[in-house]
Amino acid sequence: MIDLKPLPMKEAQQFWRDKVPMSPGQFVRLSDEAKTRAFAVSGIVKGSELTTVFDAIQRAIDDGTTLADFKADCEAIFAKRGWVGQRAWRIDNIFRTNIQTAYNVGRYRQMQEVKAARPYWQYSAVNDSRTRPTHRALHGKVFPADHPFWNTWYQPN
């Protein structure tokens, strides 16, 4: 019997390992280019708390842990900040944004490696209730891999 398990994406893992946790104050002083290598959470300044959140995201990327696991790992930190009830959307946003960014950067690196064999890329919108009209309009459009379109529209946009 074959036991199929999802494998972590090494490019996403490396992207996350290259991040540098820092306070929001330090983050805002960085250039746009430097911000891609930084990790900050608005409202979390303490190093140990920031490290806990950072490490929980690393586990999600490495081991495939879920949003529920992330919430449990960081529950005390989020509760201390009042990110519960109507403000719990922040937790989902922190998790989803960082996980998706890591995976999309990883996928971009993979696509760059094979663009000679696959020179055209197709834009794919999620097309759920959160999809913006401009993204929905681009769904299915095809551009060359080196087209300037991808500088703006490659995920995460």
Side-chain angles (χ1 to χ4, degrees), residues 82-90:
W83 297 347
V84 296
Q86 290 185 335
R87 294 188 66 207
W89 61 268
R90 291 196 64 181

Side-chain angles (χ1 to χ4, degrees), residues 45-61:
V45 180
K46 287 187 179 178
S48 63
E49 292 178 347
L50 191 61
T51 299
T52 298
V53 175
F54 182 85
D55 290 346
I57 293 170
Q58 182 73 62
R59 275 191 299 284
I61 294 168

Side-chain angles (χ1 to χ4, degrees), residues 65-74 95:
T65 57
T66 66
L67 173 60
D69 296 326
F70 175 70
K71 286 178 180 179
D73 288 346
C74 304
F95 183 80

Side-chain angles (χ1 to χ4, degrees), residues 6 15 19 54 57 59 63 72 77 83 101 116 119 121 145:
F15 171 77
K19 290 266 191 188
F54 182 85
I57 293 170
R59 275 191 299 284
D63 304 332
I77 296 166
W83 297 347
T101 298
W121 297 350

